[in-house]
Each structure stands twice: as C-alpha cells, then as structure tokens.
Coordinates of all heavy atoms in Angstrom, one line a residue:
M22 N -55.4 34.7 -29.1 CA -54.1 34.0 -28.9 C -54.2 33.2 -27.6 O -54.8 33.6 -26.6 CB -53.0 35.2 -28.7 CG -51.7 34.6 -28.4 SD -50.5 36.0 -28.1 CE -49.4 35.2 -26.9
S23 N -53.6 32.0 -27.6 CA -53.6 31.1 -26.5 C -52.3 31.2 -25.8 O -51.2 31.3 -26.4 CB -53.9 29.7 -26.9 OG -55.2 29.6 -27.4
V24 N -52.3 31.1 -24.5 CA -51.1 30.8 -23.7 C -51.3 29.5 -22.9 O -52.4 29.0 -22.8 CB -50.8 32.0 -22.7 CG1 -50.5 33.3 -23.4 CG2 -52.0 32.2 -21.7
Y25 N -50.2 29.0 -22.4 CA -50.3 27.7 -21.8 C -49.9 27.8 -20.3 O -49.0 28.4 -19.9 CB -49.4 26.7 -22.5 CG -50.0 26.4 -23.9 CD1 -49.6 27.2 -24.9 CD2 -50.9 25.4 -24.1 CE1 -50.1 27.0 -26.2 CE2 -51.4 25.2 -25.3 CZ -51.1 26.0 -26.4 OH -51.6 25.8 -27.6
K26 N -50.7 27.1 -19.5 CA -50.5 27.1 -18.0 C -50.1 25.6 -17.7 O -50.6 24.7 -18.2 CB -51.7 27.5 -17.2 CG -52.2 28.8 -17.6 CD -51.4 29.9 -16.9 CE -52.0 31.3 -17.2 NZ -51.2 32.4 -16.7
L27 N -49.2 25.5 -16.7 CA -48.8 24.2 -16.2 C -50.0 23.6 -15.4 O -50.7 24.4 -14.6 CB -47.6 24.3 -15.3 CG -46.3 24.6 -16.0 CD1 -45.2 24.9 -15.0 CD2 -45.9 23.4 -16.9
V28 N -50.2 22.3 -15.5 CA -51.3 21.7 -14.8 C -50.7 20.7 -13.7 O -49.8 20.0 -14.0 CB -52.1 20.8 -15.8 CG1 -53.2 20.0 -15.0 CG2 -52.8 21.8 -16.8
C29 N -51.2 20.8 -12.5 CA -50.7 19.9 -11.4 C -51.0 18.5 -11.7 O -52.2 18.2 -12.0 CB -51.4 20.4 -10.1 SG -50.9 19.3 -8.7
P30 N -50.1 17.6 -11.7 CA -50.3 16.2 -12.0 C -51.1 15.5 -10.9 O -51.8 14.5 -11.1 CB -49.0 15.5 -12.1 CG -48.0 16.5 -11.5 CD -48.6 17.8 -11.5
A31 N -51.2 16.1 -9.7 CA -51.9 15.5 -8.5 C -53.4 15.9 -8.5 O -54.2 15.0 -8.2 CB -51.3 16.0 -7.2
C32 N -53.7 17.1 -8.9 CA -55.1 17.5 -8.8 C -55.7 18.2 -10.1 O -56.9 18.4 -10.1 CB -55.3 18.5 -7.6 SG -54.6 20.1 -7.9
G33 N -54.9 18.5 -11.0 CA -55.3 19.1 -12.3 C -55.5 20.6 -12.2 O -55.9 21.2 -13.2
N34 N -55.3 21.3 -11.1 CA -55.3 22.7 -11.1 C -54.0 23.3 -11.6 O -53.1 22.6 -11.9 CB -55.6 23.2 -9.6 CG -57.1 22.9 -9.2 OD1 -58.0 23.6 -9.7 ND2 -57.3 21.9 -8.5
R35 N -54.0 24.6 -11.6 CA -52.8 25.3 -12.2 C -51.7 25.3 -11.2 O -51.8 25.2 -10.0 CB -53.2 26.8 -12.4 CG -54.0 27.0 -13.6 CD -54.2 28.5 -13.8 NE -55.1 28.7 -14.9 CZ -55.5 29.9 -15.3 NH1 -55.0 31.0 -14.7 NH2 -56.4 30.1 -16.2
M36 N -50.5 25.2 -11.8 CA -49.3 25.3 -11.0 C -48.5 26.6 -11.4 O -48.6 27.1 -12.5 CB -48.4 24.1 -11.3 CG -48.9 22.8 -10.8 SD -47.6 21.6 -10.5 CE -46.8 21.5 -12.1
R37 N -47.8 27.1 -10.4 CA -46.9 28.3 -10.6 C -45.5 27.8 -10.6 O -45.1 27.1 -9.7 CB -47.2 29.3 -9.5 CG -46.4 30.6 -9.6 CD -46.8 31.6 -8.6 NE -48.2 32.0 -8.7 CZ -49.1 32.0 -7.8 NH1 -48.8 31.6 -6.5 NH2 -50.3 32.4 -8.0
I38 N -44.7 28.3 -11.6 CA -43.3 28.0 -11.6 C -42.6 28.9 -10.5 O -42.7 30.2 -10.6 CB -42.6 28.3 -13.0 CG1 -43.2 27.3 -14.0 CG2 -41.1 28.1 -12.9 CD1 -42.8 27.5 -15.4
R39 N -42.0 28.4 -9.5 CA -41.4 29.1 -8.4 C -40.0 29.6 -8.7 O -39.6 30.6 -8.3 CB -41.4 28.3 -7.1 CG -42.8 27.8 -6.7 CD -43.7 28.9 -6.4 NE -43.3 29.7 -5.3 CZ -44.0 30.7 -4.7 NH1 -45.2 30.9 -5.1 NH2 -43.5 31.4 -3.7
N40 N -39.3 28.7 -9.5 CA -37.9 29.1 -9.8 C -37.5 28.2 -11.0 O -38.1 27.1 -11.2 CB -37.0 28.7 -8.6 CG -35.7 29.4 -8.7 OD1 -35.4 30.2 -9.6 ND2 -34.7 29.0 -7.9
S41 N -36.6 28.7 -11.8 CA -36.1 27.9 -12.9 C -34.7 28.4 -13.2 O -34.3 29.5 -12.9 CB -37.0 28.1 -14.2 OG -36.8 29.4 -14.7
E42 N -33.9 27.5 -13.7 CA -32.5 27.8 -14.0 C -32.1 27.2 -15.3 O -32.3 26.0 -15.6 CB -31.6 27.2 -12.9 CG -30.2 27.6 -13.0 CD -29.4 27.2 -11.8 OE1 -30.0 26.7 -10.8 OE2 -28.1 27.3 -11.9
G43 N -31.6 28.0 -16.2 CA -31.2 27.5 -17.5 C -29.8 26.8 -17.4 O -28.9 27.4 -16.9
Q44 N -29.9 25.5 -17.7 CA -28.6 24.7 -17.6 C -27.8 24.8 -18.9 O -26.6 24.8 -18.9 CB -29.0 23.2 -17.4 CG -29.9 23.0 -16.2 CD -29.2 23.4 -14.8 OE1 -28.0 23.3 -14.8 NE2 -29.9 23.7 -13.8
T45 N -28.6 24.9 -20.0 CA -28.0 25.1 -21.4 C -29.0 25.9 -22.1 O -30.1 26.1 -21.6 CB -27.8 23.7 -22.1 OG1 -29.0 23.2 -22.5 CG2 -27.1 22.7 -21.2
P46 N -28.7 26.4 -23.3 CA -29.7 27.2 -24.1 C -30.9 26.4 -24.4 O -31.9 27.0 -24.8 CB -28.9 27.5 -25.4 CG -27.5 27.5 -25.0 CD -27.3 26.4 -24.0
V47 N -30.9 25.1 -24.3 CA -32.1 24.3 -24.7 C -32.6 23.4 -23.6 O -33.5 22.6 -23.7 CB -31.8 23.3 -25.9 CG1 -31.5 24.2 -27.1 CG2 -30.6 22.4 -25.6
F48 N -32.1 23.6 -22.3 CA -32.5 22.8 -21.2 C -32.6 23.7 -20.0 O -31.7 24.4 -19.6 CB -31.6 21.6 -20.9 CG -32.0 20.7 -19.9 CD1 -32.9 19.6 -20.2 CD2 -31.7 20.9 -18.5 CE1 -33.3 18.8 -19.2 CE2 -32.1 20.0 -17.5 CZ -32.9 19.0 -17.8
R49 N -33.8 23.6 -19.3 CA -34.0 24.5 -18.1 C -34.6 23.6 -17.0 O -35.6 22.9 -17.2 CB -35.0 25.6 -18.5 CG -35.4 26.5 -17.3 CD -36.0 27.8 -17.9 NE -35.0 28.7 -18.4 CZ -34.4 29.6 -17.7 NH1 -34.6 29.8 -16.4 NH2 -33.5 30.4 -18.3
S50 N -34.0 23.7 -15.8 CA -34.6 23.0 -14.6 C -35.7 23.9 -14.0 O -35.5 25.1 -14.0 CB -33.5 22.8 -13.6 OG -32.5 21.9 -14.1
M51 N -36.8 23.3 -13.6 CA -37.9 24.1 -13.0 C -38.4 23.5 -11.7 O -38.3 22.3 -11.5 CB -39.0 24.2 -14.0 CG -38.7 24.7 -15.4 SD -40.1 25.0 -16.4 CE -41.0 23.4 -16.3
Y52 N -38.9 24.4 -10.9 CA -39.6 24.0 -9.6 C -40.9 24.7 -9.6 O -41.0 25.9 -9.9 CB -38.7 24.4 -8.4 CG -37.3 23.9 -8.5 CD1 -36.3 24.6 -9.0 CD2 -37.1 22.6 -8.0 CE1 -35.0 24.1 -9.1 CE2 -35.8 22.1 -8.1 CZ -34.8 22.8 -8.7 OH -33.5 22.3 -8.8
A53 N -42.0 23.9 -9.4 CA -43.3 24.4 -9.5 C -44.1 24.0 -8.3 O -43.9 23.0 -7.7 CB -44.0 23.9 -10.8
Q54 N -45.1 24.9 -8.0 CA -46.0 24.6 -6.9 C -47.5 24.7 -7.3 O -47.8 25.7 -8.0 CB -45.8 25.6 -5.7 CG -46.6 25.4 -4.5 CD -46.2 26.3 -3.3 OE1 -45.7 27.4 -3.6 NE2 -46.4 25.9 -2.1
C55 N -48.3 23.8 -6.9 CA -49.7 23.8 -7.2 C -50.3 25.0 -6.5 O -50.1 25.3 -5.3 CB -50.4 22.5 -6.7 SG -52.1 22.5 -7.0
T56 N -51.2 25.8 -7.2 CA -51.9 27.0 -6.6 C -53.2 26.6 -5.9 O -53.7 27.5 -5.2 CB -52.2 28.0 -7.7 OG1 -53.1 27.4 -8.7 CG2 -51.0 28.5 -8.4
H57 N -53.6 25.3 -6.0 CA -54.8 24.9 -5.2 C -54.4 24.6 -3.8 O -53.7 23.6 -3.5 CB -55.4 23.6 -5.9 CG -56.6 23.1 -5.4 ND1 -57.7 24.0 -5.2 CD2 -57.0 21.9 -4.9 CE1 -58.7 23.2 -4.7 NE2 -58.3 22.0 -4.5
I58 N -54.8 25.5 -2.9 CA -54.2 25.4 -1.5 C -54.4 24.1 -0.8 O -53.5 23.6 -0.2 CB -54.8 26.6 -0.7 CG1 -54.2 27.9 -1.2 CG2 -54.5 26.4 0.8 CD1 -54.8 29.1 -0.6
P59 N -55.6 23.4 -0.9 CA -55.7 22.1 -0.3 C -54.7 21.1 -0.8 O -54.4 20.1 -0.1 CB -57.1 21.7 -0.6 CG -57.8 22.9 -0.8 CD -56.8 23.8 -1.5
C60 N -54.3 21.2 -2.1 CA -53.3 20.3 -2.6 C -51.9 20.8 -2.3 O -51.2 20.1 -1.5 CB -53.4 20.2 -4.2 SG -52.2 19.2 -5.0
G61 N -51.4 21.9 -2.9 CA -50.2 22.5 -2.5 C -48.9 21.7 -2.9 O -47.8 21.9 -2.3
A62 N -49.1 20.7 -3.7 CA -47.9 19.8 -4.1 C -46.8 20.7 -4.8 O -47.1 21.7 -5.4 CB -48.4 18.7 -5.0
T63 N -45.6 20.3 -4.6 CA -44.5 20.9 -5.3 C -43.8 19.9 -6.1 O -43.7 18.7 -5.8 CB -43.5 21.6 -4.3 OG1 -43.0 20.6 -3.4 CG2 -44.2 22.7 -3.6
F64 N -43.2 20.3 -7.3 CA -42.5 19.4 -8.2 C -41.2 20.0 -8.7 O -41.1 21.3 -8.8 CB -43.5 19.1 -9.4 CG -44.7 18.4 -9.0 CD1 -45.9 19.2 -8.7 CD2 -44.8 17.1 -8.8 CE1 -47.1 18.6 -8.3 CE2 -46.0 16.5 -8.4 CZ -47.1 17.2 -8.2
S65 N -40.3 19.2 -9.1 CA -39.2 19.6 -9.9 C -39.3 18.9 -11.2 O -39.8 17.8 -11.3 CB -37.8 19.3 -9.2 OG -37.7 17.9 -9.2
G66 N -38.8 19.6 -12.3 CA -38.9 19.0 -13.6 C -38.0 19.8 -14.5 O -37.1 20.5 -14.1
S67 N -38.2 19.7 -15.8 CA -37.4 20.3 -16.8 C -38.1 20.6 -18.1 O -39.2 20.0 -18.3 CB -36.2 19.5 -17.1 OG -36.6 18.2 -17.6
L68 N -37.6 21.5 -18.8 CA -38.1 21.9 -20.1 C -36.9 21.8 -21.1 O -35.9 22.3 -20.8 CB -38.7 23.3 -20.1 CG -39.1 23.9 -21.5 CD1 -40.4 23.2 -21.9 CD2 -39.3 25.4 -21.4
S69 N -37.2 21.1 -22.2 CA -36.1 21.1 -23.2 C -36.7 21.3 -24.6 O -37.8 21.0 -24.9 CB -35.4 19.7 -23.2 OG -36.2 18.7 -23.5
W70 N -35.9 21.9 -25.5 CA -36.2 22.0 -26.9 C -35.4 21.0 -27.6 O -34.1 20.9 -27.4 CB -35.9 23.4 -27.4 CG -36.6 24.5 -26.7 CD1 -36.1 25.5 -26.0 CD2 -38.1 24.6 -26.7 NE1 -37.1 26.3 -25.5 CE2 -38.3 25.8 -25.9 CE3 -39.1 23.9 -27.2 CZ2 -39.6 26.2 -25.6 CZ3 -40.4 24.4 -26.9 CH2 -40.6 25.5 -26.2
D71 N -36.0 20.1 -28.4 CA -35.4 19.0 -29.0 C -35.0 19.2 -30.5 O -33.9 18.8 -30.9 CB -36.3 17.8 -28.9 CG -36.7 17.5 -27.5 OD1 -35.8 17.6 -26.6 OD2 -37.8 17.1 -27.2
Y72 N -35.9 19.8 -31.2 CA -35.7 20.0 -32.7 C -36.2 21.3 -33.1 O -37.0 22.0 -32.5 CB -36.6 18.9 -33.4 CG -36.3 17.5 -33.2 CD1 -37.1 16.7 -32.5 CD2 -35.1 16.9 -33.7 CE1 -36.8 15.4 -32.2 CE2 -34.8 15.6 -33.4 CZ -35.7 14.8 -32.7 OH -35.4 13.5 -32.5
A73 N -35.7 21.7 -34.3 CA -36.3 22.9 -35.0 C -37.3 22.4 -35.9 O -37.1 21.4 -36.7 CB -35.2 23.6 -35.7
L74 N -38.5 23.0 -35.9 CA -39.6 22.7 -36.9 C -39.4 23.5 -38.1 O -39.6 23.1 -39.2 CB -40.9 22.9 -36.3 CG -41.3 22.0 -35.1 CD1 -42.6 22.4 -34.5 CD2 -41.4 20.5 -35.6
S75 N -38.9 24.7 -37.9 CA -38.5 25.6 -39.0 C -37.3 26.4 -38.5 O -37.2 26.8 -37.3 CB -39.6 26.5 -39.5 OG -40.0 27.4 -38.4
P76 N -36.3 26.6 -39.3 CA -35.1 27.3 -38.9 C -35.3 28.8 -38.5 O -36.3 29.4 -39.0 CB -34.1 27.1 -40.0 CG -34.9 26.9 -41.2 CD -36.2 26.2 -40.7
S77 N -34.4 29.4 -37.7 CA -34.5 30.8 -37.4 C -34.3 31.6 -38.7 O -33.5 31.2 -39.5 CB -33.4 31.1 -36.4 OG -33.3 32.5 -36.2
G78 N -34.9 32.8 -38.7 CA -34.7 33.7 -39.8 C -33.5 34.6 -39.6 O -33.2 35.3 -40.6
L79 N -32.8 34.5 -38.5 CA -31.6 35.3 -38.2 C -30.4 34.8 -39.1 O -30.3 33.6 -39.3 CB -31.3 35.3 -36.8 CG -32.3 35.8 -35.8 CD1 -31.8 35.7 -34.3 CD2 -32.6 37.3 -36.1
D80 N -29.5 35.7 -39.4 CA -28.3 35.4 -40.2 C -27.4 34.5 -39.3 O -26.9 33.5 -39.8 CB -27.6 36.6 -40.6 CG -28.3 37.3 -41.8 OD1 -29.1 36.7 -42.5 OD2 -28.0 38.5 -41.9
Q81 N -27.3 34.9 -38.0 CA -26.4 34.1 -37.1 C -27.2 33.8 -35.8 O -26.9 34.5 -34.8 CB -25.1 34.9 -36.8 CG -24.3 35.1 -38.1 CD -23.0 35.8 -37.7 OE1 -23.0 36.8 -36.9 NE2 -21.9 35.4 -38.3
P82 N -28.0 32.8 -35.8 CA -28.7 32.5 -34.6 C -27.7 32.0 -33.5 O -26.7 31.4 -33.9 CB -29.7 31.3 -35.0 CG -29.1 30.8 -36.3 CD -28.4 31.9 -36.9
R83 N -28.1 32.2 -32.3 CA -27.2 31.8 -31.2 C -26.9 30.3 -31.2 O -25.9 29.8 -30.8 CB -27.8 32.2 -29.8 CG -27.8 33.6 -29.6 CD -28.7 34.0 -28.4 NE -28.3 33.4 -27.2 CZ -29.0 33.4 -26.1 NH1 -30.2 34.0 -26.1 NH2 -28.6 32.8 -25.0
L84 N -27.9 29.5 -31.7 CA -27.9 28.1 -31.7 C -28.8 27.6 -32.7 O -29.9 28.1 -33.0 CB -28.3 27.5 -30.3 CG -28.2 26.0 -30.0 CD1 -27.6 25.8 -28.7 CD2 -29.6 25.4 -30.1
A85 N -28.4 26.5 -33.4 CA -29.3 25.9 -34.4 C -29.5 24.4 -34.0 O -28.5 23.7 -33.9 CB -28.7 26.0 -35.8
L86 N -30.7 24.0 -33.7 CA -31.0 22.6 -33.4 C -31.2 21.8 -34.7 O -31.6 22.4 -35.8 CB -32.3 22.6 -32.6 CG -32.2 23.0 -31.1 CD1 -33.6 23.1 -30.5 CD2 -31.3 22.1 -30.4
P87 N -31.0 20.5 -34.6 CA -31.3 19.7 -35.8 C -32.8 19.8 -36.3 O -33.6 19.9 -35.4 CB -30.9 18.3 -35.4 CG -30.9 18.3 -33.9 CD -30.6 19.7 -33.5
L88 N -33.0 19.8 -37.5 CA -34.3 19.8 -38.1 C -35.0 18.5 -37.7 O -34.5 17.5 -37.7 CB -34.3 20.0 -39.6 CG -35.6 20.4 -40.2 CD1 -36.0 21.8 -39.7 CD2 -35.4 20.5 -41.7
A89 N -36.3 18.7 -37.2 CA -37.0 17.5 -36.8 C -37.2 16.5 -37.9 O -37.4 16.9 -39.1 CB -38.4 18.0 -36.3
P90 N -37.2 15.2 -37.5 CA -37.6 14.2 -38.5 C -39.0 14.4 -39.1 O -39.8 15.1 -38.4 CB -37.5 12.9 -37.7 CG -36.8 13.2 -36.5 CD -36.9 14.6 -36.2
S91 N -39.2 14.0 -40.3 CA -40.5 14.3 -40.9 C -41.7 13.8 -40.1 O -42.7 14.5 -40.1 CB -40.5 13.6 -42.3 OG -40.4 12.2 -42.2
A92 N -41.6 12.7 -39.4 CA -42.7 12.2 -38.5 C -43.0 13.2 -37.4 O -44.2 13.5 -37.1 CB -42.4 10.9 -37.9
V93 N -42.0 13.9 -36.9 CA -42.2 14.9 -35.8 C -42.9 16.1 -36.4 O -43.8 16.7 -35.8 CB -40.9 15.2 -35.1 CG1 -41.1 16.4 -34.1 CG2 -40.3 14.0 -34.4
R94 N -42.4 16.5 -37.6 CA -43.0 17.7 -38.2 C -44.4 17.5 -38.6 O -45.3 18.3 -38.4 CB -42.2 18.1 -39.4 CG -40.9 18.9 -39.1 CD -40.2 19.3 -40.3 NE -39.4 18.2 -40.8 CZ -38.9 18.1 -42.0 NH1 -38.9 19.1 -42.8 NH2 -38.2 17.0 -42.3
K95 N -44.7 16.3 -39.1 CA -46.1 15.9 -39.4 C -47.0 16.0 -38.2 O -48.1 16.5 -38.2 CB -46.1 14.5 -40.1 CG -47.4 14.2 -40.8 CD -47.2 12.9 -41.5 CE -48.5 12.5 -42.3 NZ -48.3 11.2 -43.0
Q96 N -46.5 15.4 -37.1 CA -47.3 15.4 -35.8 C -47.5 16.8 -35.3 O -48.6 17.2 -34.9 CB -46.6 14.6 -34.7 CG -47.4 14.5 -33.4 CD -48.7 13.7 -33.6 OE1 -48.7 12.6 -34.2 NE2 -49.8 14.3 -33.2
A97 N -46.5 17.7 -35.5 CA -46.6 19.1 -35.0 C -47.7 19.8 -35.9 O -48.5 20.6 -35.3 CB -45.3 19.8 -35.2
Q98 N -47.8 19.6 -37.2 CA -48.8 20.2 -38.0 C -50.2 19.7 -37.6 O -51.1 20.6 -37.5 CB -48.6 19.8 -39.5 CG -47.4 20.5 -40.1 CD -47.1 20.1 -41.5 OE1 -47.6 19.0 -42.0 NE2 -46.4 20.9 -42.3
Q99 N -50.3 18.5 -37.2 CA -51.6 18.0 -36.7 C -52.0 18.6 -35.4 O -53.1 19.0 -35.2 CB -51.6 16.5 -36.5 CG -51.6 15.7 -37.9 CD -51.5 14.2 -37.7 OE1 -51.5 13.7 -36.6 NE2 -51.4 13.5 -38.8
D100 N -51.0 18.8 -34.5 CA -51.2 19.3 -33.2 C -51.6 20.8 -33.3 O -52.4 21.3 -32.5 CB -50.0 19.2 -32.2 CG -49.8 17.8 -31.8 OD1 -50.7 16.9 -32.0 OD2 -48.7 17.5 -31.3
F101 N -51.0 21.5 -34.2 CA -51.3 23.0 -34.4 C -52.8 23.1 -34.9 O -53.5 24.1 -34.5 CB -50.4 23.6 -35.4 CG -49.1 23.9 -34.8 CD1 -47.9 23.8 -35.6 CD2 -48.9 24.3 -33.5 CE1 -46.7 24.1 -35.1 CE2 -47.7 24.6 -33.0 CZ -46.5 24.5 -33.8
R102 N -53.3 22.1 -35.6 CA -54.6 22.2 -36.2 C -55.7 21.8 -35.1 O -56.7 22.4 -35.0 CB -54.8 21.3 -37.4 CG -54.3 22.0 -38.7 CD -54.7 21.2 -39.9 NE -53.6 21.0 -40.8 CZ -52.9 19.9 -41.0 NH1 -53.3 18.8 -40.4 NH2 -51.9 19.9 -41.8
E103 N -55.3 20.8 -34.3 CA -56.3 20.3 -33.3 C -56.1 20.9 -32.0 O -55.3 20.5 -31.1 CB -56.1 18.8 -33.2 CG -56.3 18.0 -34.5 CD -55.8 16.6 -34.4 OE1 -55.6 16.1 -33.3 OE2 -55.7 16.0 -35.5
H104 N -56.8 22.0 -31.7 CA -56.7 22.8 -30.5 C -57.3 22.1 -29.3 O -57.0 22.4 -28.2 CB -57.4 24.2 -30.6 CG -56.7 25.0 -31.6 ND1 -55.5 25.7 -31.3 CD2 -57.0 25.4 -32.9 CE1 -55.2 26.4 -32.4 NE2 -56.0 26.2 -33.4
T105 N -58.1 21.1 -29.5 CA -58.7 20.3 -28.4 C -57.8 19.2 -27.9 O -58.0 18.7 -26.8 CB -60.0 19.7 -28.8 OG1 -59.8 18.8 -29.9 CG2 -61.0 20.8 -29.2
D106 N -56.7 19.0 -28.6 CA -55.8 17.8 -28.2 C -54.7 18.3 -27.3 O -53.6 18.3 -27.7 CB -55.3 17.2 -29.5 CG -54.5 15.9 -29.2 OD1 -54.8 15.3 -28.1 OD2 -53.7 15.5 -30.0
Q107 N -55.0 18.7 -26.1 CA -54.0 19.3 -25.2 C -53.4 18.1 -24.4 O -54.0 17.2 -24.0 CB -54.6 20.3 -24.2 CG -55.0 21.6 -24.9 CD -53.8 22.3 -25.5 OE1 -52.8 22.3 -24.8 NE2 -54.0 22.8 -26.7
L108 N -52.1 18.3 -24.1 CA -51.4 17.4 -23.2 C -51.9 17.6 -21.8 O -52.3 18.7 -21.4 CB -49.9 17.6 -23.3 CG -49.2 17.3 -24.6 CD1 -47.8 17.8 -24.6 CD2 -49.3 15.9 -25.0
D109 N -51.8 16.6 -20.9 CA -52.2 16.7 -19.5 C -51.2 17.7 -18.8 O -51.6 18.3 -17.8 CB -52.2 15.4 -18.8 CG -53.3 14.5 -19.3 OD1 -54.3 15.1 -19.8 OD2 -53.2 13.3 -19.2
L110 N -50.0 17.8 -19.3 CA -49.0 18.6 -18.6 C -49.3 20.1 -18.7 O -49.0 20.9 -17.8 CB -47.6 18.4 -19.2 CG -46.4 19.1 -18.6 CD1 -46.2 18.6 -17.2 CD2 -45.2 18.8 -19.5
L111 N -50.0 20.5 -19.8 CA -50.2 21.9 -20.1 C -51.7 22.1 -20.4 O -52.4 21.2 -20.8 CB -49.4 22.4 -21.3 CG -47.9 22.3 -21.2 CD1 -47.3 22.6 -22.5 CD2 -47.4 23.2 -20.1
D112 N -52.2 23.3 -20.1 CA -53.6 23.6 -20.3 C -53.6 25.0 -21.0 O -53.0 25.9 -20.6 CB -54.3 23.7 -19.0 CG -55.8 23.7 -19.2 OD1 -56.3 23.3 -20.2 OD2 -56.5 24.1 -18.2
A113 N -54.4 25.0 -22.1 CA -54.5 26.3 -22.9 C -55.5 27.2 -22.3 O -56.6 26.7 -21.9 CB -54.8 26.0 -24.3
V114 N -55.2 28.5 -22.1 CA -56.2 29.5 -21.7 C -56.1 30.6 -22.7 O -55.1 30.9 -23.2 CB -56.0 29.9 -20.3 CG1 -56.2 28.8 -19.3 CG2 -54.6 30.5 -20.1
E115 N -57.2 31.3 -22.9 CA -57.2 32.5 -23.7 C -56.6 33.6 -23.0 O -56.9 33.9 -21.9 CB -58.6 32.8 -24.2 CG -59.3 31.7 -25.0 CD -58.5 31.5 -26.3 OE1 -58.1 32.4 -27.0 OE2 -58.3 30.3 -26.6
A116 N -55.7 34.3 -23.7 CA -55.0 35.5 -23.1 C -56.0 36.6 -23.0 O -56.8 36.8 -23.9 CB -53.8 35.9 -23.9
T117 N -55.9 37.4 -21.9 CA -56.9 38.5 -21.7 C -56.2 39.8 -22.2 O -56.9 40.8 -22.4 CB -57.3 38.6 -20.3 OG1 -56.1 38.7 -19.4 CG2 -58.1 37.4 -19.8
A118 N -54.9 39.9 -22.3 CA -54.2 41.1 -22.6 C -53.9 41.1 -24.1 O -53.7 40.1 -24.7 CB -52.9 41.3 -21.8
Ligands
LIG14 ZN1 -52.4 20.2 -7.1

C-alpha cells in the first residue's frame, strides 16, 4: 500500500502539515513546513475534492459531488495504472505499517 507525502516546491524534500482547517466538507486550508532544516520554507495552500469518480456506497452520504466528466474518469484510470507518474506536489512512499 502506498501513502503520499507532500513535497516542498523549493527543495523537493518532505513537508509536514503544521495546521489545517476545514472550510467546507470539500475544501481545507493547510499550512505546511519543509522538514529539510537548511530550507525550512513554509507554505499555505488548500486541498479540495472536485468530483466523484464513483459514488458512495452509503444510503445517505453526507454530501454527493457531481460525477466526473468522462475525460476526468479516463485520466484517473490511467493515473491509477501508472504508478511512476507522480505529481511534483506529492510523493508516494511505501507504508511500513
Ligand atoms: Zn524545502
């Protein structure tokens, strides 16, 4: 199983999320700090969920996002298959637990 770590845009090392605040069920503000001491950059940003690729299996989900357009779903299927195609923002690491 893979988990994803944030990557510092300044130096490429790992960043730690220092604080985050949910603004809505699909939008969260975040503050992160680079863990590479000589860099030490800090950033503010956000995380949002835009579409459902597949709907929740619950009878009454708290929220239902619009189903992604077919082009987005097609891209997601390709991304799930291509493990080497990581975004610069995130880095995959193998979970040890
Ligand atoms: Zn850095």
